[in-house]
Amino acid sequence: MQTTTLCRTALLATLALLAVPPLFAAKPAATPPDLTRDSAVDRKLTYNLGATGMRGWIFTKAANYFESQQGRTTTASRQILVTHVGAGSPADGVMNVDDVILGAGGKPFSDDARKSIAVAITEAEQASHQGVLKLTRWRKGKTDEVQLKLRVMGSYSATAPYDCPKSKLILAEACKALEREPLKEDLWGAINGLALMATGKPEYMPRVQEFALRLAPPTLKLELKHGMVVWQWGYINLFLCEYYLLTGDKAVLHAIHEYTVNLAKGQSMYGTFGHGVAELTPEGKLHGSIPPYGPVNAAGLIGNLAIVLGRKCGVTDPEVEAAMDRGAKFFGYYVDKGAIPYGEHLPWPNHENNGKNAMTAVLFALQPNQVQPARFFAKMVTASYENREYGHTGQGFSYLWSALGANVGGPAAAAAFIKEAAWHLDLVRRCDGSFTYDGGEQYGPGKTDDNTYYGKSSYYGLSPNACYVLTYALPLKKLLITGRDANPANWLGKKDVAEAVASGRFDVDCKTKSAQELVTALGDWSPVVRSWAAAALAARPEAQPMVPALIKMAEGPDAHVRQGACETLGQIKNAAALPVLVRLLTHEDRWLRVKAAEALKNMGDTAKPVIPDMLKAVVKTAEPLQPIVWADPIQLTHGELAAALFKGLLRNSTKDIDPNLLYPAIRAISRNADGMARATLRELFANKLTEADVQALAPDILAAVKTRCPADTMFGNEIRMGGFKALTKYHFKEGIEVGVQFAKTQGGHGSESRTGEIMKEIAGYGTAARAAVPQLRELIAELNAQCKRGEFPAGELNRRRVSAVEAAIQAIESATTQPTLRSISPAQLPGSARK
């Protein structure tokens, strides 16, 4: 601690002498159109305007990708074009389609128009305003002030949704909307069933019971198969478990056992799931890799949660205990690093990623002895109120899980989250008490057909009413996921809650903070804030004089400060930092290794003098594939260094690099567990290696094509394609056979185009490939069999694969020549001493 204090003191002293005002600023937003002059916009992309009965088009464009993740998509808007007015709604008779709302409360919008009208609606619904919403309306060249009469809903209490009359009223009305919705026998119906149970209303239970029995026939028998089964199994078992734990109805226990054990058996070696279950290992055992497309944590987290709840229902099986352990280890890896990512990747650089941190908070909260990860993820979710509107395919799972995740941190954390998100909650609630879903791919407004008042009311089949019933039903604590039997040890104190709220807006607040405050933030609890602080600090003109003090901080005793200082050095790009960054590549703090490699990558050509040291570090830090090192399960530390080298410094050429350093590094990366790490070698293999390089590395290249990566299989085909092209470029005869094997096993998204690439290379061998024609005919049969088994791709995409193979057969059979072939020396193959 003394060293850290001295380093900070020295750095702060330097800053005090410079006393330069902060210059860190966001990029200016694009200019929105003046809707009073030009209303030719896409009217299918609109937002619900709260309980007014209107939908409206609002300028939606973040200044940059980062702002879109932070929900700042309508920041530049100052007007709202009315695109629909609901019959019988408060706006009916006052507002018309094509009116433009210029302001509220007698003032023009001076900030984000969407948030501003949401705040005005919240205020109007208070008793003191008697439901009167004042709007500045432009219509056909004339501007005037009008009033809408909304229902008085009251005010949110400081503890909302706890002890809050307004929250209770919202819940009661949302229940009326939810009870009209169907209970389909799928994951969406299971979510509706969970919401009905969360209300605690006894009148819903006969319907819930009937639904549970439909989902849990006594003859249920599940089979491990590919497809989208994990989505269904996870949510259905989650519903059945909560139902059993609420009612004690033993009629569903058989189904709970089937779902729980099969989910446990279908889990990967890393504790993850894809859309479907894991493959068998090469030895034919359970818990292999997730096949391409790869892991999908939005599904897998619920699969893991369903296993945990199954155990609480009394399911005992060695597979269940082992699965709980693997899941806890994998998702626990991300504690203190960032948000849970899409799959087996680096953490997401924000406080949330479409509800996955919230799911993780609930997952850990329902297990014994998992207080630290439960508290960390609950705090991350509490800080994520600006992240709710961001998600792959849309942010529906964020709306479903976010408040539940914050609630893991206790009532105070939930209240803080709701307070910050209240504007949005009131904006998506309609005048009939139901809720709408406004969200598109990654971010943006909802798509509406025919501009109906109801708009897009679901995210795929996800009911927005169910999402918000679960949110407002938190105080009832009827389900484990809504806080029943919660462990108070997981709850955040006042200081933690305040820190979380401050962290959630730090991306904006850092623009006005002093350099001294940014230095302090390098040691923040939030890994996201540490990164924001590093970027802000590095952008200041006083950054260069900070380098000596930052170098000391990077090797100090405080892990957070080390990481923050390391990130800052990488963005300052001063060569004086190179020695410390190289040392940190092998530091015992594995996450610091990631930050050091990332820093060297960010430094670009400035880091060229230490390429030899980086290559040595790649070899030194390589890990075996088995047993899994849970401190870094998919070798992300190694993978980031691989990216710094082969996607960065060596991306153009390796011709001046000592082969005695280069080749061992390439071999180490080609055996990394992570498909994304291996993928850094694709371009090197395909286009940059000389004939001598390929000859020297041929056994390793051949192994990289033959053997798929165990982790992050989404990117596993990249190195395989690069290695295959390296062999075919110099016409190694081994390329023919391995190409057929590659085509048979590459699968997943993009396989229709990859098959064409592979076949083109094989056909290039001419008459030398004729011996492979029978195997190619077998490949056609295998591709069609994959299609029949329901594996992706199917239909026309599979036809493209088959056509490519047929064309290759025709080209080979009509060929009259062949290139000069090379082969891998027997002495190079496994079991022989490598030359």
Side-chain angles (χ1 to χ4, degrees), residues 652-688:
N652 295 321
S653 175
T654 59
K655 66 179 182 179
D656 297 326
I657 305 301
D658 181 355
N660 292 317
L661 296 177
L662 179 65
Y663 293 171
I666 291 173
R667 291 182 182 115
I669 294 168
S670 73
R671 299 168 191 157
N672 187 289
D674 180 15
M676 190 179 290
R678 293 189 187 189
T680 62
L681 297 175
R682 173 176 171 149
E683 287 304 309
L684 176 73
F685 279 2
N687 300 311
K688 304 297 191 301

Short mmCIF file of all heavy atoms in Angstrom, two decimals, residues 652-688:
data_model
loop_
_atom_site.label_atom_id
_atom_site.label_comp_id
_atom_site.label_asym_id
_atom_site.label_seq_id
_atom_site.Cartn_x
_atom_site.Cartn_y
_atom_site.Cartn_z
N ASN A 652 1.71 -7.64 -41.20
CA ASN A 652 2.11 -7.45 -42.60
C ASN A 652 3.23 -8.39 -43.04
O ASN A 652 3.25 -8.83 -44.18
CB ASN A 652 2.54 -6.00 -42.84
CG ASN A 652 1.39 -5.03 -42.67
OD1 ASN A 652 0.27 -5.32 -43.06
ND2 ASN A 652 1.66 -3.88 -42.05
N SER A 653 4.14 -8.69 -42.13
CA SER A 653 5.28 -9.51 -42.53
C SER A 653 6.01 -10.05 -41.31
O SER A 653 6.03 -9.41 -40.25
CB SER A 653 6.27 -8.68 -43.37
OG SER A 653 7.43 -9.42 -43.66
N THR A 654 6.61 -11.24 -41.48
CA THR A 654 7.46 -11.83 -40.43
C THR A 654 8.85 -12.12 -40.98
O THR A 654 9.63 -12.84 -40.33
CB THR A 654 6.83 -13.14 -39.92
OG1 THR A 654 6.69 -14.06 -41.01
CG2 THR A 654 5.48 -12.89 -39.27
N LYS A 655 9.19 -11.56 -42.14
CA LYS A 655 10.41 -11.97 -42.82
C LYS A 655 11.68 -11.61 -42.06
O LYS A 655 12.72 -12.26 -42.24
CB LYS A 655 10.46 -11.39 -44.23
CG LYS A 655 10.57 -9.87 -44.28
CD LYS A 655 10.64 -9.39 -45.73
CE LYS A 655 10.81 -7.88 -45.81
NZ LYS A 655 10.89 -7.40 -47.22
N ASP A 656 11.65 -10.59 -41.22
CA ASP A 656 12.85 -10.19 -40.50
C ASP A 656 12.92 -10.77 -39.10
O ASP A 656 13.79 -10.38 -38.30
CB ASP A 656 12.91 -8.65 -40.41
CG ASP A 656 13.03 -8.00 -41.78
OD1 ASP A 656 13.68 -8.61 -42.66
OD2 ASP A 656 12.46 -6.92 -41.97
N ILE A 657 12.02 -11.68 -38.76
CA ILE A 657 11.96 -12.24 -37.42
C ILE A 657 12.76 -13.55 -37.36
O ILE A 657 12.65 -14.40 -38.25
CB ILE A 657 10.50 -12.51 -37.01
CG1 ILE A 657 9.67 -11.23 -37.14
CG2 ILE A 657 10.43 -13.04 -35.58
CD1 ILE A 657 10.16 -10.07 -36.32
N ASP A 658 13.54 -13.69 -36.33
CA ASP A 658 14.34 -14.90 -36.12
C ASP A 658 13.42 -16.12 -36.04
O ASP A 658 12.57 -16.20 -35.15
CB ASP A 658 15.13 -14.74 -34.82
CG ASP A 658 16.04 -15.94 -34.53
OD1 ASP A 658 15.99 -16.94 -35.28
OD2 ASP A 658 16.79 -15.87 -33.54
N PRO A 659 13.58 -17.09 -36.94
CA PRO A 659 12.72 -18.28 -36.89
C PRO A 659 12.81 -19.03 -35.56
O PRO A 659 11.84 -19.69 -35.17
CB PRO A 659 13.25 -19.14 -38.04
CG PRO A 659 13.91 -18.18 -38.97
CD PRO A 659 14.49 -17.11 -38.09
N ASN A 660 13.93 -18.94 -34.88
CA ASN A 660 14.06 -19.60 -33.60
C ASN A 660 13.14 -19.00 -32.53
O ASN A 660 12.86 -19.64 -31.52
CB ASN A 660 15.50 -19.55 -33.12
CG ASN A 660 16.43 -20.38 -33.98
OD1 ASN A 660 16.08 -21.50 -34.36
ND2 ASN A 660 17.59 -19.83 -34.32
N LEU A 661 12.69 -17.78 -32.76
CA LEU A 661 11.69 -17.16 -31.89
C LEU A 661 10.29 -17.28 -32.49
O LEU A 661 9.30 -17.52 -31.77
CB LEU A 661 12.02 -15.67 -31.67
CG LEU A 661 13.32 -15.35 -30.95
CD1 LEU A 661 13.53 -13.83 -30.90
CD2 LEU A 661 13.32 -15.91 -29.55
N LEU A 662 10.20 -17.11 -33.80
CA LEU A 662 8.91 -17.08 -34.46
C LEU A 662 8.22 -18.44 -34.44
O LEU A 662 7.05 -18.55 -34.07
CB LEU A 662 9.08 -16.61 -35.90
CG LEU A 662 7.80 -16.54 -36.75
CD1 LEU A 662 6.84 -15.50 -36.19
CD2 LEU A 662 8.15 -16.23 -38.21
N TYR A 663 8.94 -19.49 -34.82
CA TYR A 663 8.29 -20.79 -34.96
C TYR A 663 7.75 -21.33 -33.64
O TYR A 663 6.61 -21.82 -33.61
CB TYR A 663 9.26 -21.80 -35.59
CG TYR A 663 9.63 -21.51 -37.04
CD1 TYR A 663 10.64 -22.24 -37.67
CD2 TYR A 663 8.98 -20.53 -37.77
CE1 TYR A 663 11.00 -21.99 -38.99
CE2 TYR A 663 9.34 -20.27 -39.09
CZ TYR A 663 10.35 -21.00 -39.70
OH TYR A 663 10.70 -20.76 -41.00
N PRO A 664 8.50 -21.27 -32.55
CA PRO A 664 7.91 -21.74 -31.28
C PRO A 664 6.66 -20.96 -30.87
O PRO A 664 5.72 -21.52 -30.32
CB PRO A 664 9.04 -21.55 -30.27
CG PRO A 664 10.29 -21.59 -31.09
CD PRO A 664 9.92 -20.93 -32.39
N ALA A 665 6.65 -19.65 -31.17
CA ALA A 665 5.49 -18.84 -30.83
C ALA A 665 4.28 -19.26 -31.66
O ALA A 665 3.16 -19.38 -31.15
CB ALA A 665 5.79 -17.36 -31.04
N ILE A 666 4.50 -19.49 -32.97
CA ILE A 666 3.41 -19.93 -33.83
C ILE A 666 2.86 -21.28 -33.35
O ILE A 666 1.64 -21.49 -33.28
CB ILE A 666 3.88 -20.03 -35.29
CG1 ILE A 666 4.14 -18.62 -35.84
CG2 ILE A 666 2.86 -20.77 -36.15
CD1 ILE A 666 4.77 -18.60 -37.22
N ARG A 667 3.76 -22.19 -33.01
CA ARG A 667 3.32 -23.51 -32.53
C ARG A 667 2.49 -23.37 -31.25
O ARG A 667 1.46 -24.04 -31.10
CB ARG A 667 4.54 -24.40 -32.29
CG ARG A 667 5.27 -24.81 -33.55
CD ARG A 667 6.43 -25.74 -33.27
NE ARG A 667 7.14 -26.07 -34.50
CZ ARG A 667 8.40 -25.71 -34.78
NH1 ARG A 667 9.11 -25.04 -33.88
NH2 ARG A 667 8.94 -26.04 -35.94
N ALA A 668 2.93 -22.51 -30.35
CA ALA A 668 2.21 -22.34 -29.09
C ALA A 668 0.81 -21.80 -29.32
O ALA A 668 -0.18 -22.27 -28.74
CB ALA A 668 2.99 -21.42 -28.15
N ILE A 669 0.69 -20.79 -30.19
CA ILE A 669 -0.62 -20.19 -30.45
C ILE A 669 -1.53 -21.16 -31.18
O ILE A 669 -2.74 -21.23 -30.92
CB ILE A 669 -0.47 -18.87 -31.23
CG1 ILE A 669 0.25 -17.83 -30.37
CG2 ILE A 669 -1.83 -18.34 -31.68
CD1 ILE A 669 0.70 -16.61 -31.14
N SER A 670 -0.96 -21.96 -32.08
CA SER A 670 -1.79 -22.91 -32.83
C SER A 670 -2.38 -23.98 -31.94
O SER A 670 -3.32 -24.67 -32.35
CB SER A 670 -0.97 -23.56 -33.95
OG SER A 670 -0.04 -24.50 -33.43
N ARG A 671 -1.87 -24.11 -30.72
CA ARG A 671 -2.40 -25.11 -29.78
C ARG A 671 -3.19 -24.47 -28.65
O ARG A 671 -3.60 -25.15 -27.71
CB ARG A 671 -1.23 -25.91 -29.18
CG ARG A 671 -0.42 -26.68 -30.22
CD ARG A 671 0.88 -27.19 -29.62
NE ARG A 671 1.76 -27.69 -30.68
CZ ARG A 671 3.08 -27.80 -30.55
NH1 ARG A 671 3.67 -27.45 -29.42
NH2 ARG A 671 3.81 -28.26 -31.54
N ASN A 672 -3.40 -23.16 -28.73
CA ASN A 672 -4.18 -22.47 -27.72
C ASN A 672 -5.61 -23.02 -27.72
O ASN A 672 -6.15 -23.40 -28.75
CB ASN A 672 -4.19 -20.96 -28.03
CG ASN A 672 -4.83 -20.12 -26.95
OD1 ASN A 672 -6.03 -20.17 -26.77
ND2 ASN A 672 -4.03 -19.35 -26.26
N ALA A 673 -6.23 -23.04 -26.55
CA ALA A 673 -7.60 -23.56 -26.46
C ALA A 673 -8.60 -22.69 -27.21
O ALA A 673 -9.62 -23.18 -27.70
CB ALA A 673 -8.00 -23.65 -24.98
N ASP A 674 -8.33 -21.40 -27.32
CA ASP A 674 -9.30 -20.40 -27.79
C ASP A 674 -9.28 -20.26 -29.31
O ASP A 674 -8.24 -19.95 -29.91
CB ASP A 674 -8.95 -19.07 -27.13
CG ASP A 674 -9.86 -17.94 -27.52
OD1 ASP A 674 -10.93 -18.21 -28.10
OD2 ASP A 674 -9.51 -16.78 -27.25
N GLY A 675 -10.44 -20.45 -29.93
CA GLY A 675 -10.53 -20.32 -31.37
C GLY A 675 -10.17 -18.93 -31.86
O GLY A 675 -9.60 -18.76 -32.93
N MET A 676 -10.50 -17.90 -31.08
CA MET A 676 -10.16 -16.54 -31.49
C MET A 676 -8.66 -16.32 -31.43
O MET A 676 -8.10 -15.62 -32.28
CB MET A 676 -10.89 -15.52 -30.62
CG MET A 676 -10.77 -14.10 -31.14
SD MET A 676 -11.65 -12.87 -30.14
CE MET A 676 -13.35 -13.30 -30.51
N ALA A 677 -7.99 -16.91 -30.44
CA ALA A 677 -6.54 -16.80 -30.37
C ALA A 677 -5.90 -17.49 -31.57
O ALA A 677 -5.00 -16.95 -32.22
CB ALA A 677 -6.02 -17.41 -29.07
N ARG A 678 -6.35 -18.68 -31.87
CA ARG A 678 -5.82 -19.39 -33.03
C ARG A 678 -6.09 -18.62 -34.31
O ARG A 678 -5.28 -18.64 -35.25
CB ARG A 678 -6.44 -20.78 -33.13
CG ARG A 678 -6.05 -21.73 -32.02
CD ARG A 678 -6.53 -23.15 -32.33
NE ARG A 678 -6.32 -24.05 -31.20
CZ ARG A 678 -6.48 -25.37 -31.26
NH1 ARG A 678 -6.83 -25.94 -32.40
NH2 ARG A 678 -6.27 -26.12 -30.19
N ALA A 679 -7.24 -17.95 -34.37
CA ALA A 679 -7.62 -17.22 -35.59
C ALA A 679 -6.65 -16.10 -35.93
O ALA A 679 -6.60 -15.66 -37.08
CB ALA A 679 -9.03 -16.65 -35.43
N THR A 680 -5.86 -15.65 -34.97
CA THR A 680 -4.88 -14.61 -35.27
C THR A 680 -3.82 -15.08 -36.27
O THR A 680 -3.13 -14.26 -36.87
CB THR A 680 -4.16 -14.13 -33.98
OG1 THR A 680 -3.44 -15.22 -33.40
CG2 THR A 680 -5.16 -13.60 -32.97
N LEU A 681 -3.71 -16.39 -36.46
CA LEU A 681 -2.72 -16.94 -37.39
C LEU A 681 -3.26 -17.16 -38.79
O LEU A 681 -2.51 -17.56 -39.69
CB LEU A 681 -2.19 -18.28 -36.85
CG LEU A 681 -1.43 -18.24 -35.52
CD1 LEU A 681 -1.07 -19.64 -35.07
CD2 LEU A 681 -0.17 -17.37 -35.63
N ARG A 682 -4.54 -16.90 -39.01
CA ARG A 682 -5.12 -17.23 -40.32
C ARG A 682 -4.38 -16.55 -41.46
O ARG A 682 -3.94 -17.20 -42.42
CB ARG A 682 -6.60 -16.87 -40.37
CG ARG A 682 -7.15 -17.05 -41.79
CD ARG A 682 -8.61 -16.81 -41.96
NE ARG A 682 -8.93 -16.82 -43.40
CZ ARG A 682 -10.07 -17.21 -43.91
NH1 ARG A 682 -11.03 -17.62 -43.11
NH2 ARG A 682 -10.28 -17.18 -45.21
N GLU A 683 -4.27 -15.23 -41.42
CA GLU A 683 -3.65 -14.50 -42.52
C GLU A 683 -2.17 -14.84 -42.65
O GLU A 683 -1.64 -14.91 -43.76
CB GLU A 683 -3.85 -13.00 -42.33
CG GLU A 683 -5.26 -12.54 -42.60
CD GLU A 683 -5.73 -12.92 -44.00
OE1 GLU A 683 -5.00 -12.62 -44.97
OE2 GLU A 683 -6.81 -13.53 -44.11
N LEU A 684 -1.52 -15.05 -41.53
CA LEU A 684 -0.11 -15.44 -41.56
C LEU A 684 0.04 -16.76 -42.31
O LEU A 684 0.87 -16.90 -43.21
CB LEU A 684 0.43 -15.60 -40.13
CG LEU A 684 1.87 -16.11 -40.02
CD1 LEU A 684 2.85 -15.03 -40.44
CD2 LEU A 684 2.16 -16.58 -38.60
N PHE A 685 -0.77 -17.75 -41.94
CA PHE A 685 -0.69 -19.04 -42.60
C PHE A 685 -1.03 -18.94 -44.09
O PHE A 685 -0.35 -19.48 -44.94
CB PHE A 685 -1.65 -20.03 -41.94
CG PHE A 685 -1.13 -20.65 -40.67
CD1 PHE A 685 0.10 -20.31 -40.14
CD2 PHE A 685 -1.90 -21.58 -39.99
CE1 PHE A 685 0.57 -20.88 -38.97
CE2 PHE A 685 -1.45 -22.17 -38.83
CZ PHE A 685 -0.20 -21.82 -38.31
N ALA A 686 -2.11 -18.25 -44.40
CA ALA A 686 -2.61 -18.24 -45.77
C ALA A 686 -1.77 -17.41 -46.72
O ALA A 686 -1.63 -17.78 -47.90
CB ALA A 686 -4.05 -17.73 -45.78
N ASN A 687 -1.19 -16.33 -46.23
CA ASN A 687 -0.58 -15.36 -47.16
C ASN A 687 0.83 -14.90 -46.84
O ASN A 687 1.49 -14.33 -47.71
CB ASN A 687 -1.48 -14.12 -47.26
CG ASN A 687 -2.86 -14.43 -47.76
OD1 ASN A 687 -3.02 -15.11 -48.76
ND2 ASN A 687 -3.88 -13.95 -47.05
N LYS A 688 1.30 -15.11 -45.63
CA LYS A 688 2.57 -14.49 -45.25
C LYS A 688 3.75 -15.46 -45.13
O LYS A 688 4.90 -15.03 -45.16
CB LYS A 688 2.41 -13.76 -43.91
CG LYS A 688 1.30 -12.71 -43.88
CD LYS A 688 1.57 -11.58 -44.84
CE LYS A 688 0.64 -10.40 -44.63
NZ LYS A 688 -0.78 -10.71 -44.77
#
